Amino acid sequence: MTVIGIDGPSGVGKSSVSREVAQRLGYGYLDTGAMYRAMAWLCLNRGVEDPQDVVEQVRGVDLEISTDPADRSVVVDGVDVTEEIRSEEVSQNVQLVSAVPEARADLIEMQRRIIARTTPGIVAEGRDITTVVAPDAPVRILMTAREDVRIARRATELHGGADAQSTAATRSQIADRDAKDSKTTSFLSAADGVTTLDTSDIDFPTVVEAVLDLVRKAEAK
Ligand code: DC
């Protein structure tokens, strides 16, 4: 069973690359950010804010996340939240869950179980896959890109283009989320043994090829 761990900040293009790599290899795909988002959605929906209550929500939840790279569905306590978890409200409030260490510990356990049962391999992406969730994965990558590039990529994804107005709106969202995320996970520099892949000046197919190349190298070892 091969595990490919990909970390990086928001807007770097991790999800598209991870899904494409998974599809090309016939592997499963785990979007750990979607799990934090789903729990944040649940807490917002139930008006839960207190960290201890957040932990209880995580402990009692029935969280189903697809590991099919062609299907991004997430169902939480029977409610399909696939679309809702991408909302700006959820994006801005994920820290409600991701900043609570006990909630993280439980979600990390769930992630490890999913990774362990997915055959023949899995591409798992997030902020702490290479360092905490799967530090022994044979392929561990930190995807980076200059901030202006990440803003343009995210603006295009959210608004269909990177004109001045959407760029300005996206700039503050990305900077804000990076600052908050950096308090709980360290994904801005690569840990020992983790390969940094700077994607600022390379296009999508080239990034995918670079990841597949690292997988081939790991397999040849
Ligand atoms: O990858 P994303 O933007 O969908 O992640 C949503 C949020 O979840 C992000 O703000 C940080 C948090 N997250 C985390 O703390 N640890 C992870 N492994 C993945 C995401």
Side-chain angles (χ1 to χ4, degrees):
M1 222 266 291
T2 307
V3 181
I4 302 167
I6 302 185
D7 287 329
S10 66
V12 76
K14 296 186 301 287
S15 299
S16 337
V17 169
S18 301
R19 288 208 308 275
E20 178 66 18
V21 168
Q23 231 143 12
R24 296 267 285 269
L25 294 169
Y27 283 10
Y29 161 68
L30 180 64
D31 176 357
T32 60
M35 296 173 73
Y36 288 95
R37 286 171 179 273
M39 286 316 307
W41 177 88
L42 195 71
C43 291
L44 288 169
N45 194 254
R46 293 181 177 166
V48 171
E49 276 178 32
D50 180 73
Q52 200 46 49
D53 296 338
V54 169
V55 173
E56 270 163 38
Q57 295 293 324
V58 175
R59 296 219 163 120
V61 80
D62 176 15
L63 181 57
E64 288 167 39
I65 180 159
S66 161
T67 52
D68 175 349
D71 167 20
R72 302 197 80 183
S73 67
V74 184
V75 177
V76 61
D77 281 352
V79 185
D80 186 327
V81 293
T82 312
E83 300 296 329
E84 284 94 327
I85 60 169
R86 303 289 155 196
S87 72
E88 199 41 44
E89 195 197 359
V90 170
S91 299
Q92 292 303 327
N93 287 287
V94 184
Q95 283 73 24
L96 204 60
V97 177
S98 64
V100 179
E102 279 181 81
R104 292 197 74 84
D106 275 43
L107 286 169
I108 289 167
E109 269 315 302
M110 276 186 225
Q111 291 158 13
R112 288 183 177 147
R113 281 200 297 273
I114 296 170
I115 290 171
R117 68 164 187 246
T118 307
T119 53
I122 188 162
V123 183
E125 60 132 315
R127 302 287 189 293
D128 59 351
I129 310 301
T130 63
T131 50
V132 179
V133 178
D136 298 327
V139 182
R140 291 183 299 149
I141 297 167
L142 178 70
M143 266 180 72
T144 63
R146 288 190 308 272
E147 196 178 67
D148 58 312
V149 174
R150 292 197 285 130
I151 291 164
R153 282 181 189 160
R154 186 47 62 92
T156 307
E157 187 185 309
L158 293 177
H159 310 287
D163 56 57
Q165 202 185 348
S166 49
T167 301
T170 311
R171 181 183 304 280
S172 66
Q173 287 166 12
I174 285 210
D176 187 41
R177 202 134 69 83
D178 280 355
K180 288 182 191 163
D181 289 348
S182 304
K183 291 188 188 145
T184 45
T185 46
S186 73
F187 53 83
L188 298 174
S189 61
D192 262 4
V194 176
T195 305
T196 301
L197 188 55
D198 184 344
T199 67
S200 304
D201 302 308
I202 50 178
D203 64 7
F204 179 75
T206 314
V207 180
V208 170
E209 263 320 306
V211 174
L212 290 172
D213 210 40
L214 288 167
V215 176
R216 281 181 216 115
K217 283 190 183 127
E219 278 168 352
K221 267 191 194 158

